[in-house]
Amino acid sequence: MDEPLLDVFDIQANIAPGFRLPHQWVMGFAGSFISLKEVLKYLAPKLTSMQQAYEYHKVRKRLSIEKGIFGLKSFKLHEEAEILWFNLAIGRDLLKELKLLAPEMQDASFAAGMYNRSFHLGDPRNEGEQGHRDGWKFGNPEKTISLLLIVGSSKESSLLEQADIFEKKFHKLIIYSEAGNRLENDTEHFGFKDGVSQPRHTRICL
């Protein structure tokens, strides 16, 4: 059976072509649908589409090639020198509460959850050992995330301001919050240049 065609405005940007922004913030929310309703209402109009990110990166790459400026510095070439993007993932338990069961029915690993599959993935089996599932910051039965928010920005101060807004508005629901930045040499954390193994997206992932 052929998969349905999806509108590029209905696909979140961090799925394709990817945020790839210099500064990003990850925030995890816990709770039922009722408790998270205001979070969803606040985020819904802010979510960034695939089309929006594609158009941005297309212009950024063209300017980057024209001026010979790549990596982190290329974000300053775009006329949108300051952007703020949002993407949201919904956890298994919240999907079940909303009776959206398709992901769980189609993927046994998703249905089981990472906590139950931890040992299958090679994580340590001995309690207290580094990496054991009971030491996870979230993802165990006591700290299950219902919503995972990713915020990306071309400007660190804008990202920090937005994170502060979330902390003030929804602090009782946040169980995890962490910031991250692209490395200065524009490689990922294992030392490899990021994105080059994705030939379909190479044209927009400089």
PDB file of all heavy atoms in Angstrom, residues 164-201:
ATOM      1  N   ASP A 164      13.308  31.001  29.258  1.00  0.00           N
ATOM      2  CA  ASP A 164      12.891  31.646  30.499  1.00  0.00           C
ATOM      3  C   ASP A 164      11.373  31.827  30.541  1.00  0.00           C
ATOM      4  O   ASP A 164      10.745  31.656  31.601  1.00  0.00           O
ATOM      5  CB  ASP A 164      13.590  33.004  30.641  1.00  0.00           C
ATOM      6  CG  ASP A 164      13.356  33.645  31.996  1.00  0.00           C
ATOM      7  OD1 ASP A 164      13.646  33.005  33.017  1.00  0.00           O
ATOM      8  OD2 ASP A 164      12.854  34.782  32.042  1.00  0.00           O
ATOM      9  N   ILE A 165      10.775  32.139  29.398  1.00  0.00           N
ATOM     10  CA  ILE A 165       9.310  32.277  29.322  1.00  0.00           C
ATOM     11  C   ILE A 165       8.644  30.948  29.672  1.00  0.00           C
ATOM     12  O   ILE A 165       7.692  30.907  30.461  1.00  0.00           O
ATOM     13  CB  ILE A 165       8.887  32.734  27.914  1.00  0.00           C
ATOM     14  CG1 ILE A 165       9.324  34.184  27.678  1.00  0.00           C
ATOM     15  CG2 ILE A 165       7.369  32.595  27.737  1.00  0.00           C
ATOM     16  CD1 ILE A 165       9.093  34.674  26.256  1.00  0.00           C
ATOM     17  N   PHE A 166       9.142  29.862  29.112  1.00  0.00           N
ATOM     18  CA  PHE A 166       8.577  28.551  29.410  1.00  0.00           C
ATOM     19  C   PHE A 166       8.750  28.189  30.883  1.00  0.00           C
ATOM     20  O   PHE A 166       7.842  27.623  31.497  1.00  0.00           O
ATOM     21  CB  PHE A 166       9.236  27.486  28.535  1.00  0.00           C
ATOM     22  CG  PHE A 166       8.634  27.369  27.169  1.00  0.00           C
ATOM     23  CD1 PHE A 166       9.237  27.949  26.071  1.00  0.00           C
ATOM     24  CD2 PHE A 166       7.444  26.680  26.979  1.00  0.00           C
ATOM     25  CE1 PHE A 166       8.680  27.846  24.808  1.00  0.00           C
ATOM     26  CE2 PHE A 166       6.873  26.558  25.724  1.00  0.00           C
ATOM     27  CZ  PHE A 166       7.491  27.143  24.632  1.00  0.00           C
ATOM     28  N   GLU A 167       9.923  28.475  31.411  1.00  0.00           N
ATOM     29  CA  GLU A 167      10.179  28.159  32.820  1.00  0.00           C
ATOM     30  C   GLU A 167       9.188  28.893  33.732  1.00  0.00           C
ATOM     31  O   GLU A 167       8.702  28.335  34.725  1.00  0.00           O
ATOM     32  CB  GLU A 167      11.618  28.543  33.193  1.00  0.00           C
ATOM     33  CG  GLU A 167      12.695  27.726  32.501  1.00  0.00           C
ATOM     34  CD  GLU A 167      12.924  26.366  33.147  1.00  0.00           C
ATOM     35  OE1 GLU A 167      12.203  26.041  34.111  1.00  0.00           O
ATOM     36  OE2 GLU A 167      13.807  25.633  32.674  1.00  0.00           O
ATOM     37  N   LYS A 168       8.894  30.131  33.398  1.00  0.00           N
ATOM     38  CA  LYS A 168       7.981  30.917  34.228  1.00  0.00           C
ATOM     39  C   LYS A 168       6.525  30.496  34.051  1.00  0.00           C
ATOM     40  O   LYS A 168       5.761  30.445  35.019  1.00  0.00           O
ATOM     41  CB  LYS A 168       8.142  32.405  33.901  1.00  0.00           C
ATOM     42  CG  LYS A 168       9.461  32.988  34.388  1.00  0.00           C
ATOM     43  CD  LYS A 168       9.603  34.445  33.978  1.00  0.00           C
ATOM     44  CE  LYS A 168      10.913  35.036  34.500  1.00  0.00           C
ATOM     45  NZ  LYS A 168      11.124  36.432  34.056  1.00  0.00           N
ATOM     46  N   LYS A 169       6.132  30.176  32.814  1.00  0.00           N
ATOM     47  CA  LYS A 169       4.735  29.839  32.541  1.00  0.00           C
ATOM     48  C   LYS A 169       4.370  28.414  32.955  1.00  0.00           C
ATOM     49  O   LYS A 169       3.258  28.158  33.428  1.00  0.00           O
ATOM     50  CB  LYS A 169       4.427  30.009  31.038  1.00  0.00           C
ATOM     51  CG  LYS A 169       4.350  31.434  30.565  1.00  0.00           C
ATOM     52  CD  LYS A 169       4.110  31.506  29.061  1.00  0.00           C
ATOM     53  CE  LYS A 169       2.736  31.051  28.665  1.00  0.00           C
ATOM     54  NZ  LYS A 169       1.668  31.966  29.081  1.00  0.00           N
ATOM     55  N   PHE A 170       5.326  27.486  32.771  1.00  0.00           N
ATOM     56  CA  PHE A 170       4.979  26.073  32.934  1.00  0.00           C
ATOM     57  C   PHE A 170       5.947  25.321  33.849  1.00  0.00           C
ATOM     58  O   PHE A 170       6.105  24.101  33.708  1.00  0.00           O
ATOM     59  CB  PHE A 170       4.958  25.398  31.559  1.00  0.00           C
ATOM     60  CG  PHE A 170       4.094  26.083  30.537  1.00  0.00           C
ATOM     61  CD1 PHE A 170       4.661  26.655  29.400  1.00  0.00           C
ATOM     62  CD2 PHE A 170       2.729  26.166  30.711  1.00  0.00           C
ATOM     63  CE1 PHE A 170       3.866  27.279  28.448  1.00  0.00           C
ATOM     64  CE2 PHE A 170       1.917  26.794  29.770  1.00  0.00           C
ATOM     65  CZ  PHE A 170       2.484  27.357  28.643  1.00  0.00           C
ATOM     66  N   HIS A 171       6.572  26.008  34.792  1.00  0.00           N
ATOM     67  CA  HIS A 171       7.637  25.378  35.585  1.00  0.00           C
ATOM     68  C   HIS A 171       7.173  24.136  36.342  1.00  0.00           C
ATOM     69  O   HIS A 171       7.951  23.205  36.565  1.00  0.00           O
ATOM     70  CB  HIS A 171       8.223  26.396  36.572  1.00  0.00           C
ATOM     71  CG  HIS A 171       7.280  26.852  37.627  1.00  0.00           C
ATOM     72  ND1 HIS A 171       6.336  27.834  37.391  1.00  0.00           N
ATOM     73  CD2 HIS A 171       7.110  26.455  38.920  1.00  0.00           C
ATOM     74  CE1 HIS A 171       5.638  28.037  38.493  1.00  0.00           C
ATOM     75  NE2 HIS A 171       6.076  27.208  39.429  1.00  0.00           N
ATOM     76  N   LYS A 172       5.905  24.063  36.725  1.00  0.00           N
ATOM     77  CA  LYS A 172       5.401  22.912  37.490  1.00  0.00           C
ATOM     78  C   LYS A 172       5.314  21.648  36.626  1.00  0.00           C
ATOM     79  O   LYS A 172       5.229  20.534  37.163  1.00  0.00           O
ATOM     80  CB  LYS A 172       4.029  23.231  38.077  1.00  0.00           C
ATOM     81  CG  LYS A 172       4.064  24.301  39.161  1.00  0.00           C
ATOM     82  CD  LYS A 172       2.671  24.532  39.733  1.00  0.00           C
ATOM     83  CE  LYS A 172       2.705  25.583  40.829  1.00  0.00           C
ATOM     84  NZ  LYS A 172       1.356  25.832  41.396  1.00  0.00           N
ATOM     85  N   LEU A 173       5.326  21.811  35.325  1.00  0.00           N
ATOM     86  CA  LEU A 173       5.183  20.674  34.418  1.00  0.00           C
ATOM     87  C   LEU A 173       6.511  20.221  33.815  1.00  0.00           C
ATOM     88  O   LEU A 173       6.585  19.160  33.212  1.00  0.00           O
ATOM     89  CB  LEU A 173       4.222  21.040  33.273  1.00  0.00           C
ATOM     90  CG  LEU A 173       2.797  21.418  33.688  1.00  0.00           C
ATOM     91  CD1 LEU A 173       2.054  22.030  32.513  1.00  0.00           C
ATOM     92  CD2 LEU A 173       2.059  20.189  34.207  1.00  0.00           C
ATOM     93  N   ILE A 174       7.566  21.015  33.983  1.00  0.00           N
ATOM     94  CA  ILE A 174       8.863  20.725  33.368  1.00  0.00           C
ATOM     95  C   ILE A 174       9.689  19.817  34.278  1.00  0.00           C
ATOM     96  O   ILE A 174       9.926  20.137  35.434  1.00  0.00           O
ATOM     97  CB  ILE A 174       9.635  22.027  33.086  1.00  0.00           C
ATOM     98  CG1 ILE A 174       8.860  22.888  32.088  1.00  0.00           C
ATOM     99  CG2 ILE A 174      11.026  21.719  32.536  1.00  0.00           C
ATOM    100  CD1 ILE A 174       9.422  24.288  31.918  1.00  0.00           C
ATOM    101  N   ILE A 175      10.118  18.664  33.745  1.00  0.00           N
ATOM    102  CA  ILE A 175      10.948  17.760  34.538  1.00  0.00           C
ATOM    103  C   ILE A 175      12.365  17.638  33.969  1.00  0.00           C
ATOM    104  O   ILE A 175      13.226  16.998  34.570  1.00  0.00           O
ATOM    105  CB  ILE A 175      10.313  16.361  34.656  1.00  0.00           C
ATOM    106  CG1 ILE A 175      10.196  15.690  33.284  1.00  0.00           C
ATOM    107  CG2 ILE A 175       8.963  16.446  35.339  1.00  0.00           C
ATOM    108  CD1 ILE A 175       9.776  14.229  33.373  1.00  0.00           C
ATOM    109  N   TYR A 176      12.595  18.256  32.819  1.00  0.00           N
ATOM    110  CA  TYR A 176      13.929  18.209  32.229  1.00  0.00           C
ATOM    111  C   TYR A 176      14.123  19.426  31.339  1.00  0.00           C
ATOM    112  O   TYR A 176      13.223  19.822  30.599  1.00  0.00           O
ATOM    113  CB  TYR A 176      14.115  16.940  31.393  1.00  0.00           C
ATOM    114  CG  TYR A 176      15.474  16.839  30.737  1.00  0.00           C
ATOM    115  CD1 TYR A 176      16.592  16.498  31.479  1.00  0.00           C
ATOM    116  CD2 TYR A 176      15.632  17.106  29.381  1.00  0.00           C
ATOM    117  CE1 TYR A 176      17.843  16.406  30.888  1.00  0.00           C
ATOM    118  CE2 TYR A 176      16.874  17.010  28.772  1.00  0.00           C
ATOM    119  CZ  TYR A 176      17.974  16.665  29.533  1.00  0.00           C
ATOM    120  OH  TYR A 176      19.208  16.585  28.947  1.00  0.00           O
ATOM    121  N   SER A 177      15.313  20.036  31.423  1.00  0.00           N
ATOM    122  CA  SER A 177      15.601  21.221  30.616  1.00  0.00           C
ATOM    123  C   SER A 177      17.108  21.326  30.416  1.00  0.00           C
ATOM    124  O   SER A 177      17.874  21.274  31.386  1.00  0.00           O
ATOM    125  CB  SER A 177      15.066  22.475  31.331  1.00  0.00           C
ATOM    126  OG  SER A 177      15.274  23.631  30.550  1.00  0.00           O
ATOM    127  N   GLU A 178      17.522  21.446  29.156  1.00  0.00           N
ATOM    128  CA  GLU A 178      18.956  21.501  28.880  1.00  0.00           C
ATOM    129  C   GLU A 178      19.223  22.238  27.575  1.00  0.00           C
ATOM    130  O   GLU A 178      18.507  22.053  26.591  1.00  0.00           O
ATOM    131  CB  GLU A 178      19.540  20.089  28.802  1.00  0.00           C
ATOM    132  CG  GLU A 178      21.043  20.069  28.619  1.00  0.00           C
ATOM    133  CD  GLU A 178      21.630  18.670  28.698  1.00  0.00           C
ATOM    134  OE1 GLU A 178      20.864  17.708  28.894  1.00  0.00           O
ATOM    135  OE2 GLU A 178      22.856  18.544  28.546  1.00  0.00           O
ATOM    136  N   ALA A 179      20.258  23.057  27.577  1.00  0.00           N
ATOM    137  CA  ALA A 179      20.652  23.815  26.384  1.00  0.00           C
ATOM    138  C   ALA A 179      21.838  23.141  25.710  1.00  0.00           C
ATOM    139  O   ALA A 179      22.616  22.426  26.347  1.00  0.00           O
ATOM    140  CB  ALA A 179      21.021  25.240  26.775  1.00  0.00           C
ATOM    141  N   GLY A 180      21.972  23.381  24.395  1.00  0.00           N
ATOM    142  CA  GLY A 180      23.105  22.853  23.650  1.00  0.00           C
ATOM    143  C   GLY A 180      23.478  23.778  22.511  1.00  0.00           C
ATOM    144  O   GLY A 180      22.649  24.555  22.034  1.00  0.00           O
ATOM    145  N   ASN A 181      24.727  23.713  22.068  1.00  0.00           N
ATOM    146  CA  ASN A 181      25.214  24.562  20.988  1.00  0.00           C
ATOM    147  C   ASN A 181      26.018  23.739  19.991  1.00  0.00           C
ATOM    148  O   ASN A 181      26.668  22.755  20.368  1.00  0.00           O
ATOM    149  CB  ASN A 181      26.122  25.676  21.535  1.00  0.00           C
ATOM    150  CG  ASN A 181      25.410  26.566  22.520  1.00  0.00           C
ATOM    151  OD1 ASN A 181      24.463  27.255  22.173  1.00  0.00           O
ATOM    152  ND2 ASN A 181      25.856  26.549  23.780  1.00  0.00           N
ATOM    153  N   ARG A 182      25.966  24.134  18.724  1.00  0.00           N
ATOM    154  CA  ARG A 182      26.843  23.517  17.735  1.00  0.00           C
ATOM    155  C   ARG A 182      28.279  23.867  18.091  1.00  0.00           C
ATOM    156  O   ARG A 182      28.575  24.970  18.551  1.00  0.00           O
ATOM    157  CB  ARG A 182      26.509  24.024  16.328  1.00  0.00           C
ATOM    158  CG  ARG A 182      25.253  23.365  15.762  1.00  0.00           C
ATOM    159  CD  ARG A 182      24.876  23.915  14.405  1.00  0.00           C
ATOM    160  NE  ARG A 182      25.856  23.599  13.365  1.00  0.00           N
ATOM    161  CZ  ARG A 182      25.609  23.757  12.068  1.00  0.00           C
ATOM    162  NH1 ARG A 182      24.436  24.198  11.657  1.00  0.00           N
ATOM    163  NH2 ARG A 182      26.523  23.465  11.166  1.00  0.00           N
ATOM    164  N   LEU A 183      29.187  22.913  17.887  1.00  0.00           N
ATOM    165  CA  LEU A 183      30.586  23.132  18.227  1.00  0.00           C
ATOM    166  C   LEU A 183      31.219  24.127  17.259  1.00  0.00           C
ATOM    167  O   LEU A 183      30.809  24.249  16.111  1.00  0.00           O
ATOM    168  CB  LEU A 183      31.344  21.808  18.189  1.00  0.00           C
ATOM    169  CG  LEU A 183      30.841  20.732  19.158  1.00  0.00           C
ATOM    170  CD1 LEU A 183      31.660  19.460  19.001  1.00  0.00           C
ATOM    171  CD2 LEU A 183      30.908  21.223  20.600  1.00  0.00           C
ATOM    172  N   GLU A 184      32.226  24.803  17.743  1.00  0.00           N
ATOM    173  CA  GLU A 184      32.871  25.849  16.950  1.00  0.00           C
ATOM    174  C   GLU A 184      33.441  25.313  15.635  1.00  0.00           C
ATOM    175  O   GLU A 184      33.421  25.981  14.623  1.00  0.00           O
ATOM    176  CB  GLU A 184      33.990  26.508  17.768  1.00  0.00           C
ATOM    177  CG  GLU A 184      33.471  27.451  18.846  1.00  0.00           C
ATOM    178  CD  GLU A 184      32.682  28.624  18.277  1.00  0.00           C
ATOM    179  OE1 GLU A 184      33.055  29.110  17.177  1.00  0.00           O
ATOM    180  OE2 GLU A 184      31.713  29.047  18.904  1.00  0.00           O
ATOM    181  N   ASN A 185      33.986  24.092  15.673  1.00  0.00           N
ATOM    182  CA  ASN A 185      34.558  23.521  14.441  1.00  0.00           C
ATOM    183  C   ASN A 185      33.496  22.856  13.581  1.00  0.00           C
ATOM    184  O   ASN A 185      33.805  22.191  12.596  1.00  0.00           O
ATOM    185  CB  ASN A 185      35.681  22.539  14.771  1.00  0.00           C
ATOM    186  CG  ASN A 185      35.217  21.433  15.708  1.00  0.00           C
ATOM    187  OD1 ASN A 185      34.046  21.389  16.099  1.00  0.00           O
ATOM    188  ND2 ASN A 185      36.122  20.544  16.063  1.00  0.00           N
ATOM    189  N   ASP A 186      32.216  23.010  13.994  1.00  0.00           N
ATOM    190  CA  ASP A 186      31.072  22.540  13.218  1.00  0.00           C
ATOM    191  C   ASP A 186      31.089  21.026  12.991  1.00  0.00           C
ATOM    192  O   ASP A 186      30.718  20.541  11.928  1.00  0.00           O
ATOM    193  CB  ASP A 186      30.987  23.268  11.874  1.00  0.00           C
ATOM    194  CG  ASP A 186      29.539  23.380  11.389  1.00  0.00           C
ATOM    195  OD1 ASP A 186      28.656  23.513  12.240  1.00  0.00           O
ATOM    196  OD2 ASP A 186      29.313  23.318  10.177  1.00  0.00           O
ATOM    197  N   THR A 187      31.515  20.289  13.998  1.00  0.00           N
ATOM    198  CA  THR A 187      31.441  18.837  13.957  1.00  0.00           C
ATOM    199  C   THR A 187      30.477  18.386  15.053  1.00  0.00           C
ATOM    200  O   THR A 187      30.143  19.147  15.961  1.00  0.00           O
ATOM    201  CB  THR A 187      32.813  18.183  14.202  1.00  0.00           C
ATOM    202  OG1 THR A 187      33.302  18.579  15.491  1.00  0.00           O
ATOM    203  CG2 THR A 187      33.807  18.601  13.141  1.00  0.00           C
ATOM    204  N   GLU A 188      30.018  17.127  14.948  1.00  0.00           N
ATOM    205  CA  GLU A 188      29.202  16.606  16.028  1.00  0.00           C
ATOM    206  C   GLU A 188      30.125  16.104  17.147  1.00  0.00           C
ATOM    207  O   GLU A 188      31.349  16.160  17.021  1.00  0.00           O
ATOM    208  CB  GLU A 188      28.237  15.539  15.508  1.00  0.00           C
ATOM    209  CG  GLU A 188      28.853  14.514  14.622  1.00  0.00           C
ATOM    210  CD  GLU A 188      29.316  13.324  15.402  1.00  0.00           C
ATOM    211  OE1 GLU A 188      28.493  12.507  15.802  1.00  0.00           O
ATOM    212  OE2 GLU A 188      30.542  13.224  15.575  1.00  0.00           O
ATOM    213  N   HIS A 189      29.557  15.593  18.226  1.00  0.00           N
ATOM    214  CA  HIS A 189      30.346  15.374  19.431  1.00  0.00           C
ATOM    215  C   HIS A 189      31.270  14.161  19.376  1.00  0.00           C
ATOM    216  O   HIS A 189      32.068  13.958  20.288  1.00  0.00           O
ATOM    217  CB  HIS A 189      29.411  15.281  20.641  1.00  0.00           C
ATOM    218  CG  HIS A 189      28.806  16.607  20.997  1.00  0.00           C
ATOM    219  ND1 HIS A 189      27.766  17.159  20.270  1.00  0.00           N
ATOM    220  CD2 HIS A 189      29.112  17.501  21.955  1.00  0.00           C
ATOM    221  CE1 HIS A 189      27.460  18.337  20.788  1.00  0.00           C
ATOM    222  NE2 HIS A 189      28.252  18.562  21.804  1.00  0.00           N
ATOM    223  N   PHE A 190      31.188  13.355  18.311  1.00  0.00           N
ATOM    224  CA  PHE A 190      32.140  12.270  18.138  1.00  0.00           C
ATOM    225  C   PHE A 190      33.292  12.690  17.225  1.00  0.00           C
ATOM    226  O   PHE A 190      34.158  11.887  16.898  1.00  0.00           O
ATOM    227  CB  PHE A 190      31.438  11.033  17.559  1.00  0.00           C
ATOM    228  CG  PHE A 190      30.460  10.416  18.504  1.00  0.00           C
ATOM    229  CD1 PHE A 190      29.110  10.622  18.341  1.00  0.00           C
ATOM    230  CD2 PHE A 190      30.882   9.636  19.576  1.00  0.00           C
ATOM    231  CE1 PHE A 190      28.181  10.066  19.215  1.00  0.00           C
ATOM    232  CE2 PHE A 190      29.976   9.076  20.460  1.00  0.00           C
ATOM    233  CZ  PHE A 190      28.620   9.289  20.287  1.00  0.00           C
ATOM    234  N   GLY A 191      33.274  13.952  16.789  1.00  0.00           N
ATOM    235  CA  GLY A 191      34.375  14.478  16.001  1.00  0.00           C
ATOM    236  C   GLY A 191      34.174  14.472  14.500  1.00  0.00           C
ATOM    237  O   GLY A 191      35.055  14.894  13.759  1.00  0.00           O
ATOM    238  N   PHE A 192      33.002  13.990  14.036  1.00  0.00           N
ATOM    239  CA  PHE A 192      32.745  13.937  12.596  1.00  0.00           C
ATOM    240  C   PHE A 192      31.963  15.169  12.143  1.00  0.00           C
ATOM    241  O   PHE A 192      31.162  15.705  12.893  1.00  0.00           O
ATOM    242  CB  PHE A 192      31.938  12.685  12.248  1.00  0.00           C
ATOM    243  CG  PHE A 192      32.612  11.400  12.648  1.00  0.00           C
ATOM    244  CD1 PHE A 192      32.206  10.724  13.785  1.00  0.00           C
ATOM    245  CD2 PHE A 192      33.655  10.875  11.901  1.00  0.00           C
ATOM    246  CE1 PHE A 192      32.823   9.538  14.173  1.00  0.00           C
ATOM    247  CE2 PHE A 192      34.274   9.697  12.274  1.00  0.00           C
ATOM    248  CZ  PHE A 192      33.863   9.028  13.416  1.00  0.00           C
ATOM    249  N   LYS A 193      32.172  15.583  10.909  1.00  0.00           N
ATOM    250  CA  LYS A 193      31.392  16.676  10.351  1.00  0.00           C
ATOM    251  C   LYS A 193      29.961  16.185  10.152  1.00  0.00           C
ATOM    252  O   LYS A 193      29.731  15.144   9.557  1.00  0.00           O
ATOM    253  CB  LYS A 193      31.972  17.176   9.030  1.00  0.00           C
ATOM    254  CG  LYS A 193      31.267  18.422   8.506  1.00  0.00           C
ATOM    255  CD  LYS A 193      32.026  19.038   7.365  1.00  0.00           C
ATOM    256  CE  LYS A 193      31.314  20.277   6.838  1.00  0.00           C
ATOM    257  NZ  LYS A 193      31.144  21.312   7.857  1.00  0.00           N
ATOM    258  N   ASP A 194      29.017  16.948  10.659  1.00  0.00           N
ATOM    259  CA  ASP A 194      27.635  16.501  10.685  1.00  0.00           C
ATOM    260  C   ASP A 194      26.932  16.734   9.350  1.00  0.00           C
ATOM    261  O   ASP A 194      27.196  17.716   8.670  1.00  0.00           O
ATOM    262  CB  ASP A 194      26.876  17.240  11.787  1.00  0.00           C
ATOM    263  CG  ASP A 194      25.598  16.533  12.178  1.00  0.00           C
ATOM    264  OD1 ASP A 194      25.441  15.363  11.812  1.00  0.00           O
ATOM    265  OD2 ASP A 194      24.764  17.159  12.841  1.00  0.00           O
ATOM    266  N   GLY A 195      26.030  15.797   8.968  1.00  0.00           N
ATOM    267  CA  GLY A 195      25.149  16.009   7.826  1.00  0.00           C
ATOM    268  C   GLY A 195      25.643  15.477   6.503  1.00  0.00           C
ATOM    269  O   GLY A 195      24.860  15.342   5.570  1.00  0.00           O
ATOM    270  N   VAL A 196      26.927  15.128   6.372  1.00  0.00           N
ATOM    271  CA  VAL A 196      27.460  14.758   5.065  1.00  0.00           C
ATOM    272  C   VAL A 196      26.997  13.376   4.623  1.00  0.00           C
ATOM    273  O   VAL A 196      27.119  13.024   3.453  1.00  0.00           O
ATOM    274  CB  VAL A 196      28.998  14.821   5.053  1.00  0.00           C
ATOM    275  CG1 VAL A 196      29.477  16.233   5.275  1.00  0.00           C
ATOM    276  CG2 VAL A 196      29.582  13.875   6.094  1.00  0.00           C
ATOM    277  N   SER A 197      26.464  12.568   5.538  1.00  0.00           N
ATOM    278  CA  SER A 197      26.009  11.221   5.168  1.00  0.00           C
ATOM    279  C   SER A 197      24.542  11.200   4.784  1.00  0.00           C
ATOM    280  O   SER A 197      23.931  10.147   4.707  1.00  0.00           O
ATOM    281  CB  SER A 197      26.248  10.248   6.326  1.00  0.00           C
ATOM    282  OG  SER A 197      25.491  10.648   7.461  1.00  0.00           O
ATOM    283  N   GLN A 198      23.969  12.367   4.559  1.00  0.00           N
ATOM    284  CA  GLN A 198      22.575  12.475   4.163  1.00  0.00           C
ATOM    285  C   GLN A 198      22.505  13.135   2.792  1.00  0.00           C
ATOM    286  O   GLN A 198      22.206  14.314   2.670  1.00  0.00           O
ATOM    287  CB  GLN A 198      21.799  13.312   5.194  1.00  0.00           C
ATOM    288  CG  GLN A 198      21.863  12.694   6.588  1.00  0.00           C
ATOM    289  CD  GLN A 198      21.385  13.648   7.643  1.00  0.00           C
ATOM    290  OE1 GLN A 198      21.290  14.847   7.411  1.00  0.00           O
ATOM    291  NE2 GLN A 198      21.084  13.136   8.809  1.00  0.00           N
ATOM    292  N   PRO A 199      22.783  12.358   1.723  1.00  0.00           N
ATOM    293  CA  PRO A 199      22.898  12.963   0.383  1.00  0.00           C
ATOM    294  C   PRO A 199      21.659  13.698  -0.090  1.00  0.00           C
ATOM    295  O   PRO A 199      21.762  14.685  -0.782  1.00  0.00           O
ATOM    296  CB  PRO A 199      23.183  11.753  -0.526  1.00  0.00           C
ATOM    297  CG  PRO A 199      22.773  10.551   0.283  1.00  0.00           C
ATOM    298  CD  PRO A 199      23.016  10.925   1.700  1.00  0.00           C
ATOM    299  N   ARG A 200      20.455  13.260   0.331  1.00  0.00           N
ATOM    300  CA  ARG A 200      19.243  13.952  -0.108  1.00  0.00           C
ATOM    301  C   ARG A 200      19.149  15.337   0.480  1.00  0.00           C
ATOM    302  O   ARG A 200      18.522  16.215  -0.083  1.00  0.00           O
ATOM    303  CB  ARG A 200      18.013  13.143   0.306  1.00  0.00           C
ATOM    304  CG  ARG A 200      17.779  11.909  -0.533  1.00  0.00           C
ATOM    305  CD  ARG A 200      16.420  11.318  -0.235  1.00  0.00           C
ATOM    306  NE  ARG A 200      16.161  10.155  -1.063  1.00  0.00           N
ATOM    307  CZ  ARG A 200      15.014   9.492  -1.051  1.00  0.00           C
ATOM    308  NH1 ARG A 200      14.044   9.870  -0.242  1.00  0.00           N
ATOM    309  NH2 ARG A 200      14.840   8.448  -1.824  1.00  0.00           N
ATOM    310  N   HIS A 201      19.766  15.549   1.643  1.00  0.00           N
ATOM    311  CA  HIS A 201      19.639  16.838   2.322  1.00  0.00           C
ATOM    312  C   HIS A 201      20.924  17.663   2.246  1.00  0.00           C
ATOM    313  O   HIS A 201      20.978  18.756   2.760  1.00  0.00           O
ATOM    314  CB  HIS A 201      19.271  16.626   3.788  1.00  0.00           C
ATOM    315  CG  HIS A 201      18.004  15.868   3.991  1.00  0.00           C
ATOM    316  ND1 HIS A 201      16.849  16.184   3.312  1.00  0.00           N
ATOM    317  CD2 HIS A 201      17.722  14.803   4.770  1.00  0.00           C
ATOM    318  CE1 HIS A 201      15.887  15.346   3.681  1.00  0.00           C
ATOM    319  NE2 HIS A 201      16.387  14.498   4.552  1.00  0.00           N
TER     320      HIS A 201
END
